[in-house]
């Protein structure tokens, strides 16, 4: 009992500290917020520095890890957060949209010779269409039924790519073109628009630009009536529908937006990877991105970014321990879920949903009691 009380007290102190920081941020003048945003972007651009990499990734090339898996996971987690964290729809097949974007870049780039920027637009459109195609027949399902359908969709895309010789079959596609280069532009001594094979930093800077654009768009959606509709659907879809919210339309929109973000990342990743094959799009990637969203704090964008960074970085940081690194990674995840079940940086709404037993994941999460409700249930017995 004393151990449970001490754990509850620790969680309460963490929650109080987080609330205090959140209150201070809300009361911060707008110009100070913009200063913080600019400093964060500058800090992201400085991350490939070798002095930082010597500590963050002593066993592998830090700049390469920043692009994949860290940067890639961050952008994918932002896209999945729209579906899971904001709309409350559990998607276990998010890797399918990442694959559609990657194959769009590979096939259009190698066979039609289109420019990278044009392929990026087409890839985003194709993935949005894929999201609508998946959502139209399935979004009337809820909870674990929807999760099973999305899982099946992800596997259908991968198996279809493996068995279709017209798009490379199990060998995939090789010789994917890079984005067009501008070798005369330098930043921090790096030719940031010279896209080749050896230097991953130009791709990382391009990924940072993509992430900034995605974050701005997602935050604007979150603050709009669309975001309020997603929150209503996540908390209680039936009540939202009774109050006049067109739930099916907004769920379709969430799927299309999330798919577009995943597809954009797939296009950029394929442009750097040069070659892709169906094994690059396993279910494990969907599960990992979902773990990043939940661990960081579903529904809270800074938390999701932090969760994706931790999930991608930890296995690389302990790569020198060989097989034990995954044991350490799993232990850290378990510890975080014990001490911070609502996530590293949860939103207030997410914490309230957990305490009410909804878990912040719509109808699926409602089947799982939160930490406070579980404690009350045990005490009543």
């Amino acid at each position: 009992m004393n151990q449970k009380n001490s754990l509850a007290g620790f969680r309460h102190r963490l929650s109080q500290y987080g609330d205090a920081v959140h209150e201070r941020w809300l009361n911060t003048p707008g110009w100070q917020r913009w200063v913080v945003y600019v400093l964060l972007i500058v800090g992201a651009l400085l991350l490939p520095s070798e002095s930082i990499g010597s500590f963050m990734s002593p066993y592998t090339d830090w700049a390469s890890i920043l692009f994949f898996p860290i940067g890639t996971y961050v952008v994918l987690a932002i896209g999945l957060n729209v579906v899971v964290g904001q709309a409350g729809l559990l998607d276990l097949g998010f890797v399918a949209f990442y694959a559609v974007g990657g194959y769009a870049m590979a096939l259009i780039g190698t066979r039609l010779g289109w420019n990278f920027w044009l392929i990026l637009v087409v890839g985003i459109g194709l993935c949005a269409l894929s999201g609508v195609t998946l959502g139209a027949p399935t979004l009337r399902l809820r909870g674990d039924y929807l999760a099973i359908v999305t899982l099946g969709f992800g596997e259908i895309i991968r198996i279809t790519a493996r068995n279709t010789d017209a798009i490379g079959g199990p060998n995939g596609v090789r010789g994917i073109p890079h984005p067009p280069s501008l070798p005369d532009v330098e930043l921090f001594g790096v030719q940031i628009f010279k896209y080749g094979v050896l230097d991953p930093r130009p791709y990382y800077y391009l990924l940072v630009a993509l992430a900034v654009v995605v974050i701005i768009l997602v935050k604007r959606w979150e603050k709009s009536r669309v975001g309020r509709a997603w929150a209503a659907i996540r908390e209680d879809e039936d009540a939202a529908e009774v109050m006049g919210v067109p739930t099916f339309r907004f769920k379709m929109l969430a799927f299309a937006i999330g798919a577009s973000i995943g597809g954009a990342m797939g296009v950029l990743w394929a442009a750097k990877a040069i070659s892709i094959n169906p094994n690059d799009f396993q279910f494990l990637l969907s599960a990992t991105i979902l773990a990043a969203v939940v661990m960081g704090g579903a529904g809270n964008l800074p938390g999701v970014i932090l969760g994706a960074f931790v999930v991608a970085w930890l296995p690389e940081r302990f790569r020198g321990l060989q097989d034990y690194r995954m044991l350490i990674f799993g232990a850290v995840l378990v510890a975080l879920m014990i001490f911070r079940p609502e996530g590293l940086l949860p939103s207030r709404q997410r914490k309230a949903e957990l305490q009410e037993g909804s878990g912040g994941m719509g109808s699926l999460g409602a089947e799982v009691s939160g930490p406070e409700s579980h404690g009350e249930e045990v005490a009543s017995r």
Side-chain angles (χ1 to χ4, degrees), residues 159-297:
I159 294 172
T160 300
R162 188 183 64 189
N163 294 332
T164 305
D165 293 333
I167 58 175
N171 296 323
V173 183
R174 303 177 185 274
I176 303 172
H178 298 300
S181 297
L182 296 174
D184 296 332
V185 182
E186 290 192 4
L187 178 67
F188 308 126
V190 179
Q191 294 180 329
I192 60 173
F193 296 127
K194 186 178 181 180
Y195 302 101
V197 178
L198 300 179
D199 192 356
R201 289 174 293 180
Y203 298 97
Y204 169 72
Y205 295 137
L206 182 57
L207 188 149
V208 170
L210 173 64
V212 169
V213 172
V214 167
I215 289 171
I216 292 173
L217 293 176
V218 168
K219 289 301 292 183
R220 290 190 65 85
W221 280 317
E222 183 182 349
K223 300 295 183 183
S224 68
R225 62 185 292 269
V226 175
R228 293 192 293 271
W230 286 339
I233 294 170
R234 182 183 67 241
E235 292 178 9
D236 192 326
E237 184 175 344
D238 292 327
E241 194 163 4
V242 169
M243 295 300 294
V245 177
T247 56
F248 183 76
R249 183 192 309 169
F250 281 109
K251 288 195 295 183
M252 287 274 288
L253 181 61
F255 253 75
I257 291 174
S260 299
I261 296 172
M265 188 63 245
V267 171
L268 177 55
W269 174 79
K272 179 185 181 300
I274 303 177
S275 65
I276 63 172
N277 65 76
N279 291 328
D280 295 323
F281 310 104
Q282 301 281 349
F283 164 72
L284 182 61
L285 181 58
S286 290
T288 303
I289 302 303
L290 179 61
V293 171
V294 175
M295 190 187 73

Side-chain angles (χ1 to χ4, degrees), residues 20 62 64 66 86 91 101 105 163-164 177 180 182 211 231 250 259 285 290 304 315-316 333 337 346 349 362 364 381:
W62 173 235
S64 297
L66 276 176
Q86 296 187 27
D91 186 354
M105 177 66 209
N163 294 332
T164 305
L182 296 174
F250 281 109
L285 181 58
L290 179 61
V304 168
E316 300 297 334
L333 294 185
M337 290 298 97
Q349 197 167 10
L364 179 66
R381 292 179 181 175

Side-chain angles (χ1 to χ4, degrees), residues 265-345:
M265 188 63 245
V267 171
L268 177 55
W269 174 79
K272 179 185 181 300
I274 303 177
S275 65
I276 63 172
N277 65 76
N279 291 328
D280 295 323
F281 310 104
Q282 301 281 349
F283 164 72
L284 182 61
L285 181 58
S286 290
T288 303
I289 302 303
L290 179 61
V293 171
V294 175
M295 190 187 73
N300 187 32
L301 194 55
V304 168
I305 294 172
L306 177 61
F309 183 92
V310 171
V311 166
W313 171 68
L314 277 179
E316 300 297 334
R317 179 62 180 83
F318 298 107
R319 182 171 288 277
L321 300 178
Q322 298 179 357
D323 294 339
Y324 293 101
R325 68 191 180 101
M326 299 310 296
L327 178 64
I328 296 174
F329 175 63
V332 170
L333 294 185
V334 171
L336 286 173
M337 290 298 97
I338 291 174
F339 292 103
R340 297 287 289 176
E342 68 274 17
L344 290 171
L345 293 176

Side-chain angles (χ1 to χ4, degrees), residues 83 87-93 134-135 137-153 237 251 255 361 363-364:
V83 180
L89 307 170
L90 189 57
D91 186 354
L92 296 181
L134 171 63
T138 62
L139 282 179
R140 300 191 187 281
L141 301 174
R142 300 186 188 181
D144 41 4
Y145 298 104
L146 177 61
I148 292 171
V149 170
T150 55
L151 170 61
F153 178 73
E237 184 175 344
K251 288 195 295 183
F255 253 75
M361 294 238 182
S363 57
L364 179 66

